[in-house]
C-alpha cells in the first residue's frame, strides 16, 4: 500500500521514542520521508538518536513528561499524527496495583493534548492484547477473541493481572476521551513484543500458562509491529482497534523454547507462576487450538509496502 499522501510533507510525533517500539518507529518514519518529533521522558537518552537522520531538519528531540500537559503540547505542535506508546516512569518502573492510575492519567493528558492540536489528523495508540484476553467467560466462548472483546478489569484485579488492568483502563479512557473530543484514533493491541532483552519479569507474562492453555498466548516481532503502526496511520480506512501478532505459542515446543529464552539458567526460576511453560497435563498435546484472531489487521496490511 503506497501512502495516500506525500509523507515528505508530513510531520508526526513519536511518544515515548526511547523504548524499543518508539525508537524503531522513529527510524522507519524517517526512512519513509516523514519529519519526526521524537518525544522522550526527562531521563531518556538523547544520544540514542545520534546519526539516525541524514537530514538534521527531519528529526527534532523533545523532552515530554506524560504528566506535564504543556510539554506534550509543545512536542505535538505542527504534527499531523501521533504514535503514542506508554513507557513506565523512571521512578515507577514496575506494574502493580497503582500503575493503572499512572497509565490512565498519561493517556488522558496525551489525548486531550491531541484534541487541542489543530493540525492533528490521526492518533495511533499502542495498547496490548492483555486488554482483550482476560475474561471470565474466555474458556466457554464459541467465537474467537478479537478486537470486539475487552478484558474484564475486575477479573484482572482478582488475579493480580496488573498489566491487563492498566492496559484495559488506559485504552478505555483514551477511547472515551477521543470520542468525546472528536480525535481520530486507532489502537494497536499488541501481543508480547519479542525483544532481545525480554525477561521472565515482563508484566505481560503473568498468567502466561493460562494464556497458553486457552490458545491466546500471542507474540509479535518488532519489525511487524512497526509496520502495523505505520500501516494503520497511512491507511485512511483504518478504524477502531487492531489485534497485532504474528506468532502464537500453541505447541509444547513453542512453549519450551520461549521458557528457555526467558530463563536461560532454567533453574529455580523455571517454577515461577508467570512462566509460560505448559502444565504437565498439556505435555501430550500436539498443539492447542488458536482462539484469537488478527484477521482485521491482516486484511488491512495485505498490500502494505514496508
Amino acid at each position: 500500500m503506497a501512502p495516500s499522501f506525500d509523507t515528505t510533507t508530513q510531520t508526526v510525533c513519536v511518544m515515548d521514542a526511547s523504548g524499543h517500539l518508539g525508537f524503531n518507529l522513529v527510524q522507519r518514519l524517517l526512512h519513509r520521508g516523514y519529519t519526526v518529533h521524537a518525544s522522550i521522558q526527562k531521563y531518556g537518552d538523547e544520544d540514542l538518536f545520534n546519526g539516525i537522520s541524514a537530514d538534521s531538519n527531519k528529526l527534532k528531540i523533545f523532552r515530554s513528561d506524560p504528566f506535564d500537559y504543556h510539554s506534550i503540547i509543545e512536542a505535538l505542535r505542527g504534527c499531523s499524527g501521533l504514535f503514542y506508546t506508554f513507557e513506565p516512569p523512571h521512578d515507577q518502573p514496575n506494574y502493580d496495583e497503582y500503575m493503572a492510575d499512572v497509565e490512565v492519567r498519561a493517556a488522558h493528558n496525551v489525548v486531550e493534548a491531541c484534541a487541542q492540536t489543530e493540525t492533528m489528523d490521526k492518533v495511533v495508540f499502542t495498547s496490548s492484547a492483555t486488554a482483550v484476553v482476560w475474561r471470565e467467560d474466555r474458556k466457554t466462548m464459541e467465537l474467537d477473541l478479537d478486537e470486539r472483546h475487552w478484558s474484564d478489569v475486575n477479573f484482572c484485579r482478582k488475579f493480580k493481572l496488573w498489566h491487563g488492568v492498566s492496559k484495559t483502563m488506559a485504552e478505555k479512557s483514551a477511547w472515551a476521551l477521543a470520542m468525546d473530543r472528536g480525535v481520530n484514533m486507532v489502537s494497536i493491541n499488541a501481543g508480547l513484543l519479542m525483544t532481545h532483552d525480554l525477561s521472565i519479569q515482563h508484566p505481560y507474562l503473568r498468567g502466561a500458562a493460562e494464556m497458553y492453555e486457552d490458545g491466546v498466548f500471542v507474540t509479535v516481532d518488532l519489525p511487524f509491529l512497526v509496520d502495523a503502526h505505520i500501516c494503520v496511520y497511512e491507511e485512511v480506512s483504518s478504524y477502531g482497534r487492531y489485534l497485532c501478532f504474528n506468532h502464537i505459542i500453541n505447541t509444547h515446543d513453542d512453549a519450551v523454547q520461549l521458557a528457555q529464552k526467558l530463563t536461560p539458567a532454567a533453574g529455580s526460576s523455571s517454577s515461577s507462576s508467570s512462566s509460560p511453560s505448559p502444565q504437565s497435563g498439556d505435555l501430550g498435546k500436539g498443539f492447542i487450538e488458536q482462539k484469537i484472531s488478527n484477521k482485521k489487521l491482516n486484511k488491512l496490511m495485505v498490500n502494505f509496502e514496508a
Side-chain angles (χ1 to χ4, degrees):
M1 177 194 71
S4 57
F5 45 73
D6 182 4
T7 60
T8 61
T9 66
Q10 291 272 316
T11 299
V12 295
C13 179
V14 177
M15 181 186 301
D16 184 319
S18 58
H20 288 295
L21 173 59
F23 179 73
N24 281 271
L25 267 170
V26 170
Q27 285 186 305
R28 190 74 63 83
L29 289 164
L30 287 169
H31 182 71
R32 289 176 82 83
Y34 288 88
T35 297
V36 179
H37 289 188
S39 170
I40 59 177
Q41 295 182 32
K42 59 183 177 180
Y43 296 107
D45 183 8
E46 199 168 321
D47 293 339
L48 190 68
F49 301 95
N50 287 344
I52 72 166
S53 176
D55 183 352
S56 60
N57 294 320
K58 284 285 189 178
L59 176 64
K60 296 180 181 178
I61 312 296
F62 292 82
R63 291 196 177 273
S64 302
D65 185 332
F67 311 109
D68 179 355
Y69 178 77
H70 295 290
S71 70
I72 301 171
I73 286 285
E74 190 63 30
L76 295 180
R77 196 181 308 280
C79 290
S80 57
L82 168 68
F83 297 86
Y84 173 69
T85 303
F86 176 78
E87 294 287 344
H90 184 267
D91 58 353
Q92 191 176 348
N94 299 317
Y95 271 82
D96 54 23
E97 62 267 42
Y98 305 110
M99 183 60 83
D101 290 338
V102 175
E103 192 160 351
V104 166
R105 190 152 51 96
H108 186 280
N109 285 343
V110 168
V111 176
E112 180 61 39
C114 289
Q116 299 300 327
T117 301
E118 292 183 358
T119 54
M120 186 60 61
D121 289 330
K122 183 182 281 189
V123 177
V124 182
F125 185 97
T126 309
S127 185
S128 173
T130 60
V132 173
V133 302
W134 291 120
R135 301 164 55 92
E136 192 88 57
D137 62 353
R138 68 192 191 284
K139 294 181 183 294
T140 57
M141 291 176 57
E142 293 184 7
L143 299 175
D144 289 349
L145 285 168
D146 62 20
E147 294 84 0
R148 294 169 293 182
H149 298 104
W150 286 90
S151 290
D152 182 332
V153 171
N154 291 328
F155 178 87
C156 291
R157 284 202 177 103
K158 179 179 177 181
F159 293 100
K160 295 181 169 56
L161 301 164
W162 304 125
H163 193 266
V165 171
S166 290
K167 295 303 178 185
T168 304
M169 290 183 64
E171 190 190 347
K172 281 191 171 184
S173 176
W175 274 116
L177 187 59
M179 288 187 283
D180 182 62
R181 296 290 194 271
V183 174
N184 179 20
M185 189 179 99
V186 290
S187 66
I188 298 282
N189 293 79
L192 176 66
L193 180 56
M194 301 301 290
T195 57
H196 64 86
D197 57 354
L198 182 65
S199 79
I200 194 69
Q201 303 303 323
H202 195 292
Y204 187 109
L205 288 165
R206 186 170 183 86
E210 288 76 16
M211 284 191 281
Y212 171 82
E213 292 165 9
D214 295 343
V216 298
F217 188 8
V218 291
T219 68
V220 64
D221 296 327
L222 186 54
F224 184 80
L225 184 58
V226 170
D227 284 349
H229 278 73
I230 296 175
C231 177
V232 300
Y233 177 72
E234 293 183 353
E235 177 52 66
V236 294
S237 66
S238 65
Y239 68 97
R241 309 169 83 205
Y242 289 88
L243 266 167
C244 180
F245 59 90
N246 59 352
H247 185 64
I248 181 163
I249 308 295
N250 67 340
T251 71
H252 175 60
D253 287 346
D254 284 341
V256 169
Q257 287 176 16
L258 180 59
Q260 289 173 343
K261 172 180 171 62
L262 296 171
T263 56
S268 58
S269 61
S270 63
S271 61
S272 167
S273 62
S274 62
S275 170
S277 297
Q279 303 300 303
S280 58
D282 293 316
L283 296 180
K285 297 183 180 180
F287 81 104
I288 291 174
E289 182 182 0
Q290 179 173 332
K291 297 293 290 181
I292 187 169
S293 171
N294 60 349
K295 290 180 181 177
K296 183 183 176 187
L297 178 63
N298 289 344
K299 183 178 180 180
L300 190 75
M301 292 185 67
V302 68
N303 293 318
F304 177 70
E305 296 175 3

